Amino acid sequence: MPAAFPGAYGWGAGSIGGRGGTVIHVTNLNDSGAGSLRQALITSGPRIIVFDVGGTIVWTTGGNFTEPFCTIAGQTAPGGGICISLPNDEFALTGTNNWIIRYVRFRTRVSATRGTFHILNGSSNVILDHCSFSWGGDEIFTMGQDVKDVTFQWCMVYENPTVGHNRGSLFFDKCRRVSVHHCLYAHCDGRNPWFQMFDDSTIQPAESAKAEIVNVLVYNWDIHATNLNGYPQINIINGYYKVGPNSTPSRWEINNGRTLPASIYAFGNIGPNNSDPNLDSWVAGMVRNTLGVPLGISDGSYAAAPIAMSAFPVPITPTLQNFDDVLNGAGCTQRLASDGSWVNIRDTADARIATEVQSGTGGWISAPPALPTLSAGTAYIDTDGDGIPDEWENLYFGAGGINGSALHPSGYTYLELFLNGSPIPERRGQSTPRKVISMAVPVRDRSFKIKVYQRAIDGQARLMRDDLLAQSTVLASRARILRSLEIDEEDIMLEYQRQAELAEVGGELIAIQNERSAIARMQNKHRLEEARKRKAELQSERKRKRVKRKR
């Protein structure tokens, strides 16, 4: 069984969502009724929810959703993407399982005493990816009451406007097997996040109490940023903690209020109390008790080695690289175009937060700001209603298309391949080539002739001249295309040796790779030619000598 989607990691990555189920199109931004998101959410049975409209859905009440096996594919929303605007009430998954939610914004629009998003009452197998959560009360995001097997990845949590209690996220009351990774927390005074692992020690099995906080970016907290209570077995790895205008001088990064037995591995984190990403966070004084006293490695909860986690291990990014990766990549950042390429759609709220984290500005708020305006866009043309745009089907399968619910050998349905932005390697060149475009492309001081064939392939371009083949990755901004470059052998050698292999083609970058192997092949060709030339010279010399002897 594959992961929920390529790039899904951690304890919730095994969720199947609505795989193989009914495709439901959201056709309007209404609170409820036919064609609304709410109607799709309460529908029973496995379902994949796609969007024919972009914009903000204003709910007059929150919602407790209990039907399992659901995928919300926010990346299909056209225009500026999708946002769910909530009153003083939350979007809640309650007693359910197998949910995949991607590329959705959840924003509380009024000063609230309740949070924005909850996962409660025994829910399991949930993954939230590239979502933005903001402006809720209490904690913006809350998970608890026997909840397990959850991943919270590449999300943004920011700006709780509750004065005196502006918290980020809480994982409590027998929650376990939880992964929080590559997330950004900003302008929340604490609980970034807070793990209360197993409040009842009598039912605390060692395996189940596991959790991990990997590659988080936390900005502008008050006294302590990340909190631990209960009986956790947790890894806190390569986090980046940056103080802001509201951070107190005596602040620290990890508040350890655990009850033994507990096991806490903390390494690679940097913050105001440590600038060395290669140092044990306990040794660096980043892990402290509730009074702010550093806890050393003699503490009973100290773990010297990482604790084994899920079957979908989280890839760990170097701490300093993590700052830029999370700053630029977390939250509802993209949507899918009808050809399967990704389009950037970060809204003004998320963009403002990213700028403030980068510059060290901004601060806590006391009321939600105005909601960003999102364009409606134009829906995909999806003639058969299977959730896959006609353009994508035609690119890979021609006029006959493909059944979106059919299973690909990878274990994903073809609809999921589209939703994942995944190419189909074996379909390379299977569609009918479109118009051929010729253009001259400058590379340094040379100009290469390029033929562009608009046809679907697996995201790879091929540089071809006779027997010289060099693979290169194409970062396509619109269509996946096949390129054939016809250039002189001397020019290829010169450009490879200079290692100047970046060409800009219509706003797209071609990164030429495997230059060494290409050079080696070229050099071998030259060696062979030299050997043949030398052999011919020797044969000529022998013939000349034989003629001379006869004379």
Side-chain angles (χ1 to χ4, degrees):
M1 181 71 69
F5 49 85
Y9 299 105
W11 287 105
S15 173
I16 63 174
R19 182 174 298 155
T22 302
V23 176
I24 302 177
H25 289 253
V26 175
T27 59
N28 59 62
L29 301 177
N30 298 342
D31 186 336
S32 60
S36 69
L37 173 61
R38 191 188 296 271
Q39 185 63 43
L41 293 171
I42 63 176
T43 299
S44 61
R47 58 216 183 275
I48 297 178
I49 301 171
V50 298
F51 294 83
D52 294 348
V53 63
T56 299
I57 300 172
V58 178
W59 281 1
T60 57
T61 61
N64 290 304
F65 303 105
T66 60
E67 291 292 339
F69 302 106
C70 181
T71 295
I72 305 178
Q75 67 268 39
T76 62
I82 206 73
C83 173
I84 301 172
S85 171
L86 295 154
N88 187 15
D89 204 353
E90 61 273 345
F91 183 111
L93 304 182
T94 305
T96 188
N97 64 82
N98 284 284
W99 279 64
I100 299 171
I101 304 177
R102 305 187 70 192
Y103 296 96
V104 179
R105 307 173 184 94
F106 299 87
R107 304 200 188 282
T108 303
R109 65 179 180 274
V110 298
S111 294
T113 58
R114 304 181 68 165
T116 300
F117 196 101
H118 289 177
I119 305 176
L120 302 170
N121 296 340
S123 294
S124 63
N125 292 299
V126 176
I127 183 166
L128 296 105
D129 171 69
H130 284 94
C131 293
S132 300
F133 304 87
S134 61
W135 310 329
D138 199 8
E139 291 88 19
I140 297 170
F141 182 94
T142 298
M143 189 191 90
Q145 299 169 342
D146 204 30
V147 172
K148 57 185 178 294
D149 298 321
V150 175
T151 291
F152 189 61
Q153 65 173 43
W154 292 102
C155 292
M156 295 178 75
V157 178
Y158 59 84
E159 289 187 330
N160 184 331
T162 309
V163 177
H165 193 83
N166 55 327
R167 311 291 197 253
S169 62
L170 170 63
F171 301 82
F172 76 109
D173 190 14
K174 307 180 187 66
C175 72
R176 69 259 195 205
R177 299 200 297 266
V178 178
S179 300
V180 177
H181 70 87
H182 296 90
C183 291
L184 188 154
Y185 287 86
H187 302 313
C188 295
D189 68 357
R191 303 183 184 181
N192 299 295
W194 182 15
F195 272 92
Q196 291 183 340
M197 301 299 293
F198 277 92
D199 297 316
D200 186 351
S201 62
T202 63
I203 61 168
Q204 186 261 329
E207 178 67 21
S208 295
K210 290 184 175 181
E212 57 188 335
I213 305 171
V214 179
N215 285 128
V216 296
L217 170 55
V218 181
Y219 172 65
N220 194 33
W221 72 97
D222 186 7
I223 299 175
H224 34 78
T226 297
N227 308 76
L228 304 176
N229 288 92
Y231 308 85
Q233 297 201 32
I234 192 167
N235 294 330
I236 307 176
I237 301 174
N238 287 22
Y240 195 113
Y241 294 84
K242 180 176 180 177
V243 297
N246 300 109
S247 300
T248 61
S250 59
R251 68 278 187 241
W252 64 94
E253 297 87 352
I254 302 169
N255 186 69
N256 186 2
R258 87 292 177 273
T259 300
L260 296 176
S263 186
I264 301 167
Y265 176 75
F267 193 91
N269 302 288
I270 63 174
N273 294 295
N274 175 44
S275 60
D276 184 357
N278 299 308
L279 192 62
D280 188 309
S281 301
W282 290 79
V283 175
M286 301 178 76
V287 183
R288 306 187 179 194
N289 65 17
T290 54
L291 299 177
V293 178
L295 300 172
I297 61 176
S298 61
D299 185 83
S301 61
Y302 171 76
I307 301 160
M309 290 291 162
S310 78
F312 301 94
V314 175
I316 300 173
T317 306
T319 311
L320 296 177
Q321 176 187 330
N322 176 61
F323 182 90
D324 288 333
D325 286 356
V326 172
L327 193 69
N328 296 320
C332 183
T333 53
Q334 295 179 305
R335 65 169 176 86
L336 282 169
S338 58
D339 62 6
S341 59
W342 291 98
V343 179
N344 293 328
I345 57 163
R346 178 173 268 181
D347 71 9
T348 55
D350 283 0
R352 172 178 59 82
I353 294 299
T355 297
E356 291 173 358
V357 174
Q358 179 74 59
S359 61
T361 58
W364 300 347
I365 63 173
S366 58
L371 289 165
T373 299
L374 304 177
S375 64
T378 302
Y380 303 144
I381 298 174
D382 179 15
T383 303
D384 57 8
D386 66 351
I388 305 177
D390 290 359
E391 182 177 0
W392 192 90
E393 293 194 41
N394 291 336
L395 283 172
Y396 281 101
F397 300 97
I402 189 68
N403 182 353
S405 63
L407 197 64
H408 182 265
S410 64
Y412 297 108
T413 65
Y414 283 94
L415 172 55
E416 286 179 295
L417 291 182
F418 168 70
L419 296 179
N420 299 339
S422 300
I424 309 177
E426 71 274 15
R427 298 299 302 179
R428 174 166 47 189
Q430 296 299 309
S431 61
T432 302
R434 297 187 175 187
K435 180 181 177 182
V436 178
I437 304 171
S438 296
M439 63 185 75
V441 178
V443 179
R444 294 252 173 136
D445 56 348
R446 306 208 176 268
S447 181
F448 294 159
K449 182 182 178 183
I450 299 201
K451 289 182 179 178
V452 180
Y453 299 86
Q454 295 183 18
R455 67 191 300 181
I457 59 168
D458 61 353
Q460 297 293 310
R462 190 177 293 272
L463 308 181
M464 295 184 288
R465 186 198 177 279
D466 298 329
D467 59 332
L468 177 61
L469 296 177
Q471 293 297 320
S472 66
T473 300
V474 176
L475 305 177
S477 64
R478 181 67 184 169
R480 300 196 182 281
I481 56 179
L482 176 66
R483 287 176 171 83
S484 173
L485 278 70
E486 299 176 352
I487 53 182
D488 292 337
E489 179 177 296
E490 180 181 352
D491 288 340
I492 293 179
M493 281 294 296
L494 183 60
E495 293 304 318
Y496 271 73
Q497 290 170 344
R498 288 181 178 179
Q499 298 184 7
E501 303 92 14
L502 286 179
E504 185 171 355
V505 184
E508 300 171 352
L509 289 179
I510 300 176
I512 304 174
Q513 300 173 335
N514 298 334
E515 67 275 9
R516 292 181 180 177
S517 60
I519 292 173
R521 285 194 294 272
M522 192 70 72
Q523 290 174 338
N524 288 338
K525 181 178 179 180
H526 286 308
R527 291 191 187 102
L528 181 59
E529 291 175 351
E530 289 294 325
R532 288 172 177 168
K533 182 179 178 181
R534 180 57 179 161
K535 181 179 179 180
E537 290 174 350
L538 290 173
Q539 289 175 340
S540 177
E541 179 66 19
R542 292 192 189 101
K543 183 177 180 180
R544 187 182 62 79
K545 288 180 179 179
R546 284 197 300 270
V547 172
K548 185 176 181 181
R549 282 197 298 269
K550 287 180 180 181
R551 291 177 179 175

